[in-house]
Amino acid sequence: VFGTFGYECAAMLNEGVPAATIENAAWLAGFPVGPLAVIDEVSLSLASKVRHQTMKDLAAEGKEYVPHKAEAVIDWMLEQDRAGKAAGKGFYEYPAGGKKFLWPGLAERFGREPVTQPLEDIKERLLFVQAFETVRCWDECVVTTARDANIGSIMGIGFPPWTGGVLQYINGYGLAAFVARARELAERYGERFLPPASLMARADRNEPF
């Protein structure tokens, strides 16, 4: 679930959304830490390794890998030798004895133009991608109760507590409204925002998690 979250914020950078806007939007959405800071903690090297392993796994299954626009950002960062906090530099600078701050090079490379994406879109992109992945986990029986998914999302991956948890976020949004909003985001930002078939069927039945 976190992987899609991190990739989405990197995709926003690639679209020209300033790094500070992404971090602030996440805080306004209720996330405890900005997503770029979290990627630094996990490391960009790991994100790259996971992607290449995924490509190999899909190839072995005879499936096609669909590139993500976030990959160009991650590859560029690694080319700049900025692999994350453990490496001493990533999306953030980590001065000895000082407070971390966003690397100025991000502003030079990304986000030079005025932001055209609505703030609500940026916030909901971060929320929705995690919701989709949780629904897929539900479909694959990785989680089997809404309670576990909700508590796990708040305590485990830092999903905003005000939502009541990731599946409760969908319930509270209203399943039909959530699906409609997802389709709207898909039209603007790509097919990855198309809701899972199981969620659309659940919305048709008006059956909350």
Side-chain angles (χ1 to χ4, degrees), residues 5 29 52 68 99 102 130 148:
F5 177 66
H52 286 97
H68 195 291
K99 186 178 180 180
L102 283 165
Q130 294 193 71
D148 287 347

Side-chain angles (χ1 to χ4, degrees), residues 21-35:
T21 299
I22 296 169
E23 299 292 79
N24 286 329
W27 290 323
L28 289 171
F31 291 98
V33 181

Side-chain angles (χ1 to χ4, degrees), residues 77-90:
M77 290 291 291
L78 291 174
E79 288 169 6
Q80 310 310 306
D81 194 29
R82 304 191 68 88
K85 185 177 180 179
K89 52 185 178 179

